Amino acid sequence: MKKMETDHIKITPEWSQCKEEVWDHVFAKLEDDPRAINITPRKKTVWFYAVASIAAVALLIPFIAFFYTKSEVAERGSHLAVILPDRSKVNLNADSKISYKPLWWFVARDVKLTGEAYFEVEKGSTFNVRSGEYTVSVLGTSFNVFSRADKFNVTCLTGKVNVSDKSGGVILTPNMQALRSDGKLIADIIEDANESVNWKQGKFVFVSVPLQEVIQEIERQYDIEVIRNSTMDYSYSGNFTKTNDPNDVLKIVGSPFGIEFKIK
């Protein structure tokens, strides 16, 4: 059997240009074709940036309003009267401080207190005074809050006051006082709630108050430091006014116990 021979045909294109030149030639025609699609990026107008800026500011304003806080401080030896954004009034006793959010005020009327203050609250949404673990809530009333070290009490002069902490809460009406006893808040009836705010007129009345606390109040009111050279394990009943010389006040307070106080 005779083997068939197959002729292999080799076709060689007759190109006179290299591959790169052919490629450039083809795309040159595309660029010259008037039907070719010309895509031009759209420029952002001034209005676009203006709207974007307004949107950013609109989102930023609530953030600023919520976190912006204003503080008012009555230094030792002074009292301070404060008017809040809704015309509610606060009188700060010596060495006391309040903080609140003026730009957020009509969303939430919240005040943080350290020290002692008397509040006259305008009617409106709930008004909260927060001091440590305690919260005093009212709608429209007047009351005094004392919050120093481990001692806390709230005295209601007008209206109705709710005082609460993690252990529970009590409701106060005029001539009632809330204080902590045996680890919980209790409500007690007092003779005259106005005596709790005598300090506004520079008058200080003490009834069976630990002598140590009396001296601390004198130091706050006169911005002085009192040297104690004797035991302070006494209770004091008496009064003085801030117009008295502090040396005279210390003599009056110390004489019943035979104690001589000196100002540093």
Side-chain angles (χ1 to χ4, degrees):
M1 184 176 180
K2 189 177 179 179
K3 184 177 178 182
M4 295 180 64
E5 293 183 0
T6 304
D7 293 333
H8 296 280
I9 300 174
K10 184 177 181 181
I11 300 174
T12 304
E14 295 181 358
W15 298 103
S16 60
Q17 297 174 312
C18 67
K19 179 175 65 175
E20 287 76 9
E21 292 173 334
V22 172
W23 185 267
D24 292 339
H25 176 71
V26 172
F27 275 91
K29 290 183 178 181
L30 289 177
E31 292 175 359
D32 295 336
D33 190 346
R35 293 171 298 174
I37 299 174
N38 183 23
I39 301 176
T40 303
R42 181 177 296 176
K43 295 182 179 180
K44 293 181 175 63
T45 65
V46 174
W47 285 106
F48 173 84
Y49 292 107
V51 171
S53 300
I54 292 171
V57 172
L59 293 173
L60 189 61
I61 287 175
F63 181 84
I64 296 174
F66 180 78
F67 286 100
Y68 172 65
T69 301
K70 185 176 182 179
S71 297
E72 301 284 0
V73 180
E75 304 290 351
R76 288 165 59 93
S78 66
H79 295 174
L80 180 66
V82 180
I83 304 295
L84 296 174
D86 63 343
R87 309 305 296 173
S88 292
K89 301 175 183 178
V90 185
N91 285 88
L92 289 172
N93 202 346
D95 194 20
S96 300
K97 174 184 175 181
I98 61 167
S99 300
Y100 62 98
K101 299 175 181 179
L103 302 180
W104 196 256
W105 186 255
F106 292 99
V107 176
R109 300 195 297 174
D110 282 359
V111 176
K112 289 184 178 180
L113 167 69
T114 302
E116 183 174 14
Y118 169 72
F119 294 84
E120 291 183 357
V121 178
E122 291 291 320
K123 292 182 179 180
S125 59
T126 302
F127 184 106
N128 296 311
V129 178
R130 306 183 191 279
S131 185
E133 62 184 295
Y134 303 99
T135 300
V136 183
S137 300
V138 301
L139 295 179
T141 185
S142 59
F143 57 96
N144 190 78
V145 181
F146 182 97
S147 180
R148 298 188 188 278
D150 58 351
K151 188 173 181 180
F152 176 85
N153 64 62
V154 178
T155 307
C156 179
L157 283 82
T158 63
K160 186 181 291 186
V161 177
N162 179 66
V163 185
S164 62
D165 66 359
K166 59 185 179 181
S167 69
V170 294
I171 301 294
L172 304 180
T173 54
N175 288 327
M176 292 185 69
Q177 187 176 78
L179 60 148
R180 195 169 183 84
S181 178
D182 297 328
K184 64 179 182 179
L185 283 170
I186 63 170
D188 195 13
I189 298 175
I190 57 178
E191 291 185 6
D192 186 3
N194 287 310
E195 289 186 355
S196 68
V197 291
N198 278 333
W199 59 266
K200 290 171 48 185
Q201 284 76 44
K203 301 176 182 178
F204 300 89
V205 179
F206 304 96
V207 179
S208 297
V209 175
L211 185 58
Q212 177 71 25
E213 294 181 16
V214 175
I215 297 302
Q216 289 173 348
E217 188 64 43
I218 292 172
E219 289 179 319
R220 281 192 291 267
Q221 297 304 322
Y222 291 101
D223 189 18
I224 59 175
E225 184 178 346
V226 177
I227 300 174
R228 307 161 176 81
N229 294 325
S230 180
T231 179
M232 303 285 283
D233 191 19
Y234 299 101
S235 293
Y236 176 79
S237 294
N239 62 82
F240 69 89
T241 63
K242 199 173 177 181
T243 56
N244 296 129
D245 184 275
N247 288 291
D248 295 335
V249 171
L250 290 172
K251 288 179 182 178
I252 294 171
V253 172
S255 59
F257 314 106
I259 298 176
E260 181 179 353
F261 294 108
K262 293 183 179 180
I263 299 176
K264 183 177 179 179

